[in-house]
Amino acid sequence: MAAKRKAFITGITGQDGSYLAEILLERGYEVYGMIRRSSSFNTARIDHIFGELELVFGDLADGSAMNQLMRTIRPDEVYNLGAQSHVRVSFDIPEYTVDIGALGTLRLLDAIREEGVRCRFYQASSSEMFGQAREVPQNEETPFHPRSPYAAGKVFAYWITRNYREAYGMYAVNGILFNHESPRRGPTFVTRKITRAVGAILRGEQDELRLGNLDAKRDWGYARDYMEGAWRMLQAEEPDDYVLATGEAHSVREFLEEAFSYAGLDWRDYVKIDPRYFRPAEVDLLVGDYSKAKQKLGWEPTVRFHELVRMMVDHDRERRTTEEHYL
Ligand code: NAP
Ligand code: GDD
């Protein structure tokens, strides 16, 4: 019997890591996930598959740990999803955000190179790199204009991934992913903040929702679809970079309208604008052109805006324990 392929995931406790781990287990991989030591449990999103995973401690800030993990595990595929991924927070802790998002990527790539591991490498690049976008929609050729420390760090990570591909012949790819959401989305991102508020309002536990800029437009897809796309990128014959998106833009206001009206509520009765949630520099409009991924990987999103909003509202209508919150 052929040995199982080994995958190594940073960021396995996050939204995307949990979906990717499920996909890889379904496909017969031995899945290694790097977790950070925490004083309280932070594995709610992967508790249902805990027994099937090999969890190892590490941190993208810790280069020697990266080397040791690559040397001992010797994975076939590496998915680098770990990051301080909140754009607003990156203005508060810019150095840390860039240390993990940018230098962390370099540490991991260099550990693979130094340890001579012959694996395929996926970098979680972001549509935030387009920032003040030069064209609409954005594709793999659109120039970057990052608007936050988070995005500037992701631009470095994108280029160092390409550099290791060009310089050392590594199979290293960038998935340039537009926003993707799910019932497992972190509660401080705008979509989940809204759908959790809808649930709490319906249960009589909340009577207002404080938000920032309602005019920003995003291209929101479903996280599991995007992790399917990430896996396909590493199965292609040649390494390349791909945009994953839905091609539809909607404003935060439209998301509010859709989520509240689905629950029989009027968002205007609850939403207060709070300057605390504005950003020093905003990204006004992101919408992606995924035709390259469609043509070369046969990838297409299966869930569109309306269905995504409803899926999240349906999930958040139910009262859940902390452990169930992400499932
Ligand atoms: P997420 O839910 O915020 O998860 C982030 C993950 O990174 C968590 O597992 C977190 O671990 C881990 N992490 C944080 N700091 C770390 C460190 N110092 N060392 C190692 N791991 C660390 O993010 P996500 O939505 O799943 O996104 C996954 C990746 O895709 C991120 O790199 C993000 O920037 C990128 N991305 C996301 C989107 C999107 O719309 N979701 C779009 C484009 C790109 P803890 O649980 O211990 O905090
Ligand atoms: N988080 C948040 N909270 N955003 C708000 C709020 C609020 O109360 N009110 C309005 N917004 C607006 C933000 O200003 C932004 O324009 C938009 O809602 C989306 O914000 P987020 O949901 O925080 O996501 P993001 O687009 O900044 O970043 C996400 O997507 C990127 C891909 O484009 C993150 O997942 C990043 O990690 C990812 O790279």
Side-chain angles (χ1 to χ4, degrees):
M1 207 173 74
K4 280 186 165 192
R5 275 185 292 173
K6 283 187 202 172
F8 175 80
I9 306 175
T10 70
I12 194 167
T13 55
Q15 170 188 255
D16 290 4
S18 65
Y19 284 115
L20 180 64
E22 286 175 1
I23 290 170
L24 293 170
L25 287 172
E26 281 164 23
R27 293 179 188 164
Y29 284 76
E30 200 173 319
V31 179
Y32 289 79
M34 189 178 83
I35 58 170
R36 302 191 289 166
R37 195 269 158 178
S38 165
S39 65
S40 53
F41 291 119
N42 67 346
T43 53
R45 293 185 179 98
I46 50 171
D47 280 348
H48 61 296
I49 48 174
F50 202 82
E52 299 168 71
L53 299 171
E54 301 287 339
L55 296 178
V56 290
F57 284 108
D59 193 303
L60 284 160
D62 180 352
S64 65
M66 295 303 106
N67 277 73
Q68 188 247 328
L69 290 170
M70 289 305 100
R71 185 166 60 247
T72 53
I73 298 171
R74 305 197 83 78
D76 300 295
E77 295 177 14
V78 170
Y79 295 87
N80 184 34
L81 311 182
Q84 188 303 92
S85 73
H86 202 286
V87 175
R88 174 69 192 80
V89 173
S90 79
F91 288 98
D92 300 328
I93 46 170
E95 183 181 335
Y96 175 74
T97 302
V98 172
D99 185 27
I100 303 311
L103 293 183
T105 305
L106 173 59
R107 289 183 188 109
L108 185 51
L109 280 166
D110 210 54
I112 293 168
R113 184 188 67 82
E114 271 191 35
E115 301 299 341
V117 178
R118 294 185 58 77
C119 63
R120 296 186 168 200
F121 178 87
Y122 173 87
Q123 169 57 19
S125 284
S126 168
S127 54
E128 274 290 301
M129 301 188 302
F130 299 123
Q132 190 130 301
R134 312 265 175 92
E135 58 185 1
V136 179
Q138 296 90 46
N139 62 34
E140 293 79 3
E141 305 306 320
T142 304
F144 300 142
H145 182 152
R147 295 270 284 169
S148 62
Y150 166 81
K154 285 285 186 185
V155 170
F156 173 86
Y158 168 93
W159 279 112
I160 202 67
T161 300
R162 279 192 65 162
N163 179 249
Y164 272 55
R165 179 163 90 213
E166 292 166 10
Y168 304 116
M170 275 176 60
Y171 190 113
V173 311
N174 285 288
I176 307 172
L177 272 46
F178 282 66
N179 297 50
H180 44 278
E181 320 293 314
S182 73
R184 298 185 194 170
R185 184 58 142 153
T188 62
F189 296 95
V190 77
T191 55
R192 191 80 200 282
K193 188 170 168 184
I194 292 170
T195 61
R196 286 187 79 220
V198 167
I201 289 166
L202 289 174
R203 295 192 300 274
E205 296 165 1
Q206 188 172 333
D207 57 11
E208 74 171 28
L209 169 60
R210 292 185 168 266
L211 292 173
N213 177 17
L214 305 187
D215 295 320
K217 290 189 172 165
R218 291 290 183 276
D219 179 333
W220 282 296
Y222 175 42
R224 198 177 204 284
D225 282 347
Y226 288 52
M227 289 303 99
E228 167 68 32
W231 178 78
R232 287 192 193 193
M233 285 179 213
L234 290 201
Q235 313 314 310
E237 221 158 273
E238 296 296 328
D240 205 346
D241 306 320
Y242 297 92
V243 159
L244 300 184
T246 72
E248 275 182 47
H250 296 276
S251 64
V252 174
R253 188 177 281 99
E254 285 172 70
F255 195 103
L256 270 173
E257 179 74 47
E258 183 78 18
F260 275 72
S261 63
Y262 178 53
L265 300 167
D266 185 341
W267 65 269
R268 289 168 199 80
D269 296 335
Y270 302 95
V271 171
K272 302 251 175 337
I273 301 303
D274 186 335
R276 205 178 350 167
Y277 298 110
F278 286 110
R279 294 164 183 197
E282 178 60 285
V283 171
D284 297 322
L285 167 64
L286 291 176
V287 57
D289 169 1
Y290 65 89
S291 44
K292 180 176 172 184
K294 184 176 175 184
Q295 197 204 339
K296 299 219 164 138
L297 305 175
W299 180 88
E300 276 201 85
T302 67
V303 176
R304 300 288 176 161
F305 181 71
H306 299 279
E307 200 188 330
L308 175 68
V309 177
R310 284 158 193 237
M311 175 202 294
M312 293 175 71
V313 171
D314 284 339
H315 180 272
D316 283 330
R317 272 173 190 268
E318 308 295 323
R319 186 194 303 277
R320 291 175 196 274
T321 63
T322 316
E323 291 72 34
E324 291 165 342
H325 172 70
Y326 291 118
L327 290 176

